[in-house]
Amino acid sequence: MKSVTFRNKTWDVAANLHMPAGFDEKKTYPAIVVAHPISSCKEQTASIYAEKLAELGYVCLAFDASTQGESGGPGRYLEDPATRVEDFRCAADYLVTLLYVDENRIGVLGICGGGGYAVNAAMTERRFKAVATIVGANYGRLCREGDLTPDVAIKALEGISAQRTAEARGAEPAVTTYIPQSKGQLESYGITDVDVVEAVDYYTTPRGQKPGSPNKLNVVSTGAAFTWDAYHLADKLLTQPLQIIVGGGKAGAFGSYRDGFELFNKAASKVKNILVVAGATHYDLYDKPDCVDRAMEKLKTFYGENL
C-alpha cells in the first residue's frame, strides 16, 4: 500500500493505493475505487475491503472524502452530495493516469453512504464498468425520513437556514456529531436502535476508531442532502453490472436493507444481483470476519465476471 493524492478542483484528496501481491508496474491491472461510509475514513472498513480485493489482483484506491480525513476542501466535515460524487469522478481521473491500470476495467465499491454515492456517480461516470455496494444507504432519503416526520425535516431545514444567516454574519461554522460520543452517552439518551448502538461500538471504541473519523459534521452542509436522491434516474442511467450486498439481521434506522431492495428493483442494469447475508447487521458487514468473508466471496465472483 502507498499513500497518494489526487485533485478535486483546487484541493488534494488523500487516498491509499492497495496493490496486488507481486505488483509489477510494467503489467496492467483492473482497478476498483473503494468509498468509505458517511462519518468514516479510508483506514476503516474501506481499507478492509480494499486489502481483500487487492489480494484478488485488483489495484484498489480507497480515499477520504473531500473535507474529511486527510483530504482538503472548502471547509471541514462537510457532507455535501455534489462534492462527494465529484470525488469519484476525480478518482477515475487519477486511475486513468496510471500506466499499470487498465482503463477499460475500472469498478467501484461503496460502503453504507459511500454505496449511495458510488451508485449516483456511476450513472454518469461511465468509466466505472461494474458497481457494487455493501449495505449501501441513500443519504438523502435518510435526511428526509430518518425520523419519519416531515414536520421535523422542515424544522431542521429552518434551523440550517438560520445557521447560514449566522455564519454569513461572522459566526463560526456549527459542527455537530453524527452519533453519541460514547456508550455511556448512548445509554443516557435511551437510544436502542441497532444501527446507532452498533455505530457507537464501531466508531468510538478500539474496534474501529481512527483519527480520520472524529464523529464531526458541518451542520450547514447537510441542507443540500434533503433534496438529493442517490438513486434518482437509476431506472434510466444505471446500466452497468450491479451487485448489492445487505445484511439479513435486525434492520435499523439507517435503512440499508430497504435501500438495497429499492435500488435492485429500480436499476436498469441487465446484470444485477442482491445478496442478503443471513443474520448480519449493518455493522457486521463492516468488519466481522465471517460476514466480510461472505461478502467477499460474492464480490470475487462479481468483479471477476464483469471487469
Side-chain angles (χ1 to χ4, degrees):
M1 186 192 79
K2 67 175 181 178
S3 297
V4 298
T5 61
F6 57 88
R7 298 290 281 178
N8 183 337
K9 298 182 176 67
T10 60
W11 61 86
D12 286 337
V13 175
N16 288 332
L17 265 180
H18 297 258
M19 305 296 202
F23 172 77
D24 183 348
E25 65 179 12
K26 295 180 180 179
K27 296 181 179 179
T28 57
Y29 299 84
I32 299 172
V33 174
V34 183
H36 63 69
I38 288 169
S39 85
S40 186
C41 65
K42 63 185 181 299
E43 289 83 10
Q44 293 171 321
T45 183
S47 176
I48 292 174
Y49 282 97
E51 288 177 4
K52 289 184 175 295
L53 288 165
E55 290 172 3
L56 298 177
Y58 300 93
V59 170
C60 292
L61 182 70
F63 66 91
D64 284 332
S66 291
T67 79
Q68 302 173 30
E70 296 178 306
S71 291
R76 293 303 297 161
Y77 314 123
L78 276 64
E79 195 58 50
D80 171 57
T83 303
R84 287 292 306 262
V85 170
E86 183 64 16
D87 283 340
F88 286 84
R89 300 190 185 101
C90 296
D93 289 343
Y94 172 72
L95 286 176
V96 299
T97 69
L98 304 178
L99 297 180
Y100 49 80
V101 167
D102 185 340
E103 67 180 82
N104 296 309
R105 299 175 69 196
I106 299 176
V108 64
L109 170 67
I111 305 157
C112 188
Y117 291 130
V119 166
N120 193 269
M123 286 189 236
T124 54
E125 182 45 83
R126 308 309 295 187
R127 290 174 292 186
F128 292 139
K129 306 302 184 184
V131 183
T133 65
I134 305 286
V135 294
N138 184 343
Y139 180 57
R141 192 270 314 156
L142 182 59
C143 285
R144 291 186 296 275
E145 303 175 14
D147 53 22
L148 304 179
T149 55
D151 287 348
V152 173
I154 295 299
K155 289 180 181 178
L157 287 168
E158 288 173 347
I160 291 168
S161 295
Q163 180 59 33
R164 284 187 70 103
T165 294
E167 292 180 19
R169 292 171 177 168
E172 290 295 315
V175 176
T176 187
T177 60
Y178 287 93
I179 56 173
Q181 299 185 66
S182 67
K183 290 184 177 180
Q185 190 178 77
L186 174 75
E187 292 170 359
S188 72
Y189 292 161
I191 298 173
T192 59
D193 177 82
V194 62
D195 283 352
V196 181
V197 169
E198 293 191 359
V200 171
D201 182 65
Y202 182 80
Y203 285 113
T204 71
T205 74
R207 173 184 170 189
Q209 195 172 42
K210 296 293 182 182
S213 175
N215 188 27
K216 293 183 179 181
L217 171 65
N218 179 292
V219 172
V220 166
S221 76
T222 63
F226 280 76
T227 57
W228 184 77
D229 179 1
Y231 306 147
H232 178 55
L233 296 179
D235 55 328
K236 302 183 187 309
L237 298 179
L238 185 62
T239 60
Q240 298 98 318
L242 174 66
Q243 177 63 59
I244 301 164
I245 299 174
V246 297
K250 186 177 180 181
F254 297 169
S256 59
Y257 183 88
R258 164 191 167 180
D259 287 346
F261 277 92
E262 178 186 338
L263 175 61
F264 178 78
N265 291 327
K266 190 172 185 178
S269 307
K270 293 181 179 179
V271 175
K272 58 182 177 180
N273 178 269
I274 187 165
L275 169 67
V276 179
V277 180
T281 63
H282 185 99
Y283 281 90
D284 285 344
L285 280 157
Y286 277 35
D287 66 343
K288 294 297 177 68
D290 60 327
C291 297
V292 172
D293 287 347
R294 280 184 279 173
M296 280 302 307
E297 183 178 0
K298 178 60 71 173
L299 293 177
K300 177 180 180 180
T301 300
F302 172 71
Y303 286 123
E305 292 177 348
N306 295 289
L307 281 185

